[in-house]
Amino acid sequence: MAVIRVDARGMACPGPISALTKAYRKAKNGDILEVLATDPGFKPDVQAWVKRTGNELTELTEEKDYIKASIKVTAKKT
Amino acid sequence: MKKVVILGGGGGGAILANLLPKDEFDVTVIDKKENHVFLPGNLFIAFMGHKKERYMKPLKELLKPHIKFLHDEIISLDLNERKIKTKGKEIEYDYVAIATGAHLDYDAISGNTELLNKFGDYYSGPENAAKLHNTLMGMKEGNFVIAVADPIYMCPPAPQKGAFLSSKFFAKRGLKEKVKVILALPFPHAYSSKVISDIIEPELRKEGIEVHTFFTVDSIDTKNKKIFSVEGEEINYEVAVVIPIHEGPEYEVKPAEVKDDSNYIKIDKYTSKVEGFDDAYAIGDCTNAPTSKSGVTAHLQAETVASRLQGFDAKYSGRTNCPLLTNGTGLFIISDYDHPPVPVKLSKFKRLMEDLFVATYWDAIRYPELWEPIFKAYFEATNPEVLGKEGW
Ligand SMILES: Cc1cc2nc3c(=O)[nH]c(=O)nc-3n(C[C@H](O)[C@H](O)[C@H](O)COP(=O)(O)OP(=O)(O)OC[C@H]3O[C@@H](n4cnc5c(N)ncnc54)[C@H](O)[C@@H]3O)c2cc1C
């Protein structure tokens, strides 16, 4: 179990979801993915991503100049 | 004379070599392939049946006569010792430019090498593109799937281009009802950028191309003809192309810290200098620059490095220009480091200009100094700053 930090601030294209996907490939169930992003599209995108993949969104907050999402990995097939 | 060694004679390396004045530089280009390949041609070979020879030329002929060409494979590069090892030689330099492109790692996804060997594809080269054409000619029904193994790959619109062109190909063969074209992408939408997506989604629908979003290939079961995604879904295929994981140079580079997690060479995104070195540059698809992996990037970085080697303080803005040909016309996707992608819809006239570019490619590689003012005028007229959000 590990906390994996993904700093995607400043990334617009291909975007923070791509950075999240890259980290998710290597993650294991129980890991926490903490993603920081500035792209405003990230909020709806990460919500859609969690819904589709069946992982758990434990936090989605807007800080002063970035968005932070924490995802608990639960849906990886082993 | 300054001794410059250029690793790789693809789009970036060949242009850089040809831009360096012969009275000031002693230039050597090393490439393991004898032929320079125009990679966008793969699309026309695979989906339109063009002859592959149209898109390959001996590199020796594309380089100006004073440039030395070494046909050999690079095994290692030592930036501290200024030494390059190839299979047959050891070479020293005053300046080095790394331009070996992206390494396509088919083995990283289980089943992908088998898929490539069976069907061919349109990423690895003209031979495999011709093979894919044969495969598609023999296809009678079922799903033709184009999928992506990682969000970072050459020419961001190439999966969509492949989908449009293959859909047209099947329609022409009278198989529109029998063969379904499926596009599977890691992104939330039909393109990594929402603005571009909004334009092409209706076109994809009109063509009957099925799009699967949030689908990043995890593995391929070639026995049961299924592709599985990292996100936990699966797609059945009759024929499939999975765009492989891209990485930086496979050969050893010392010090190891100049490569990132994916082996990409860490550079200053404006000057193309390798981090920590004043006599080493990297251009094109082999770098970690946060911009699209495209021929335009390689070309503009080559111009930047050529200017810098001649003592000018040139910088690259991150400018890209990727054409996405849909059916009748299409669009250019333009962006730079400071501006997200702007769509530029192509009229028939601008589409003609794109075809013209394909026709002039060899000349632009051979005589980049003659084409520089033309490209410059175009890039200025289509600067994302000038375009705003409206497009050209
Ligand atoms: C289907 C497709 C369509 C595309 N369409 C477009 C487009 O419309 N517009 C656009 O701008 N870009 C497009 N691209 C992308 C473009 O082709 C690449 O970004 C461009 O070729 C990158 O140039 P490069 O010089 O960095 O690398 P490359 O052109 O890949 O050249 C690298 C060279 O290095 C050599 N090399 C590699 N390793 C070694 C070694 N160990 N030893 C010796 N030699 C080595 C290779 O043989 C090769 O010749 C497309 C790509 C594909 C696949």
Side-chain angles (χ1 to χ4, degrees):
Chain A
M1 255 182 264
V3 177
I4 303 160
R5 194 156 231 238
V6 183
D7 192 345
R9 283 176 289 190
M11 271 175 83
C13 188
I17 289 291
S18 299
L20 167 61
T21 305
K22 255 180 153 17
Y24 184 61
R25 186 193 287 281
K26 292 184 189 145
K28 296 184 185 68
N29 283 335
D31 286 351
I32 306 284
L33 297 174
E34 218 176 75
V35 192
L36 308 183
T38 43
D39 179 3
F42 179 62
K43 241 178 132 168
D45 287 349
V46 74
Q47 282 167 324
W49 185 88
V50 170
K51 212 165 164 187
R52 273 284 283 285
T53 57
N55 291 287
E56 204 181 303
L57 187 62
T58 52
E59 185 189 344
L60 183 61
T61 45
E62 256 174 270
E63 303 292 331
K64 213 168 120 235
D65 41 17
Y66 61 91
I67 301 161
K68 180 179 166 196
S70 292
I71 296 151
K72 187 167 177 195
V73 178
T74 53
K76 280 284 265 218
K77 286 189 192 123
T78 38
Chain B
M1 287 286 242
K2 295 176 204 156
K3 185 170 180 197
V4 180
V5 180
I6 301 172
L7 312 186
I15 290 180
L16 173 59
N18 283 336
L19 279 173
L20 295 172
K22 67 172 172 195
D23 47 353
E24 210 184 321
F25 298 95
D26 167 21
V27 184
T28 304
V29 175
I30 310 174
D31 202 301
K32 62 183 173 191
K33 290 198 195 129
E34 272 190 297
N35 282 315
H36 174 108
V37 173
F38 178 58
L39 284 172
N42 288 350
L43 284 158
F44 308 121
I45 299 167
F47 303 113
M48 291 161 89
H50 288 188
K51 287 244 167 341
K52 62 178 190 296
E53 288 70 24
R54 248 173 101 169
Y55 303 105
M56 309 159 74
K57 264 201 198 329
L59 179 54
K60 183 99 194 105
E61 286 173 23
L62 289 170
L63 298 173
K64 293 188 175 167
H66 64 275
I67 296 165
K68 292 177 205 125
F69 171 49
L70 176 62
H71 177 214
D72 203 346
E73 184 175 339
I74 298 143
I75 306 290
S76 69
L77 163 66
D78 189 329
L79 295 169
N80 291 319
E81 301 286 326
R82 296 188 178 175
K83 262 196 195 122
I84 298 148
K85 261 195 212 137
T86 65
K87 275 193 171 154
K89 267 196 165 162
E90 229 182 86
I91 302 163
E92 300 194 354
Y93 61 80
D94 299 325
Y95 293 94
V96 69
I98 309 169
T100 39
H103 167 63
L104 305 180
D105 190 359
Y106 285 88
D107 292 332
I109 299 285
S110 86
N112 207 12
T113 302
E114 214 179 306
L115 206 67
L116 173 71
N117 292 339
K118 190 161 180 206
F119 299 136
D121 82 345
Y122 64 97
Y123 259 69
S124 49
E127 286 82 12
N128 278 321
K131 189 169 184 169
L132 178 60
H133 183 70
N134 275 338
T135 305
L136 297 179
M137 284 299 283
M139 201 178 164
K140 294 189 181 72
E141 60 186 356
N143 294 343
F144 172 55
V145 182
I146 298 177
V148 175
D150 187 74
I152 310 286
Y153 52 86
M154 275 184 270
C155 190
Q160 291 82 353
K161 282 195 234 184
F164 280 116
L165 289 173
S166 57
S167 163
K168 207 168 158 185
F169 169 85
F170 291 121
K172 216 165 146 188
R173 288 191 52 221
L175 294 172
K176 203 152 175 113
E177 307 303 318
K178 293 226 162 104
V179 176
K180 191 187 307 163
V181 176
I182 298 180
L183 186 58
L185 304 163
F187 316 113
H189 322 281
Y191 192 77
S192 50
S193 135
K194 178 88 170 53
V195 196
I196 308 295
S197 218
D198 288 344
I199 298 177
I200 64 168
E201 268 172 13
E203 301 249 5
L204 287 162
R205 262 198 303 275
K206 207 161 75 196
E207 278 296 308
I209 297 165
E210 189 177 300
V211 180
H212 291 234
T213 54
F214 290 136
F215 193 103
T216 315
V217 178
D218 186 44
S219 63
I220 304 154
D221 175 354
T222 49
K223 219 168 118 214
N224 298 305
K225 298 186 179 179
K226 278 181 197 299
I227 303 176
F228 298 95
S229 76
V230 174
E231 293 84 353
E233 289 175 13
E234 60 182 71
I235 300 176
N236 294 314
Y237 68 84
E238 186 57 34
V239 173
V241 169
V242 172
I243 296 173
I245 289 187
H246 288 39
E247 281 167 3
E250 213 189 352
Y251 52 84
E252 183 192 24
V253 180
K254 276 187 191 160
E257 305 88 77
V258 301
K259 285 185 177 180
D260 75 4
D261 290 350
S262 301
N263 276 347
Y264 288 120
I265 306 290
K266 295 187 212 160
I267 58 164
D268 175 79
K269 65 180 181 178
Y270 298 110
T271 61
S272 271
K273 263 190 198 168
V274 177
E275 259 183 40
F277 291 85
D278 275 329
D279 53 2
Y281 291 90
I283 58 174
D285 292 349
C286 68
T287 83
N288 72 336
T291 177
S292 305
K293 302 216 168 294
S294 76
V296 176
T297 304
H299 185 157
L300 294 174
Q301 287 175 330
E303 286 183 2
T304 303
V305 172
S307 294
R308 296 198 74 86
L309 287 171
Q310 292 172 76
F312 301 102
D313 184 24
K315 290 193 168 85
Y316 166 58
S317 67
R319 175 64 193 273
T320 64
N321 192 90
C322 290
L324 203 178
L325 305 184
T326 54
N327 251 349
T329 51
L331 61 142
F332 275 143
I333 299 163
I334 293 182
S335 69
D336 66 22
Y337 290 142
D338 303 321
H339 300 85
V342 179
V344 174
K345 282 197 184 161
L346 295 186
S347 61
K348 285 238 158 85
F349 175 69
K350 281 185 228 146
R351 167 67 193 273
L352 193 70
M353 284 185 42
E354 162 69 10
D355 293 342
L356 193 71
F357 170 71
V358 174
T360 55
Y361 179 77
W362 302 114
D363 207 52
I365 295 268
R366 183 66 164 75
Y367 304 104
E369 70 282 10
L370 299 180
W371 285 93
E372 214 173 328
I374 296 170
F375 288 128
K376 195 160 177 263
Y378 168 76
F379 284 127
E380 271 167 16
T382 55
N383 182 329
E385 188 93 57
V386 179
L387 293 174
K389 290 213 161 55
E390 285 306 300
W392 184 31

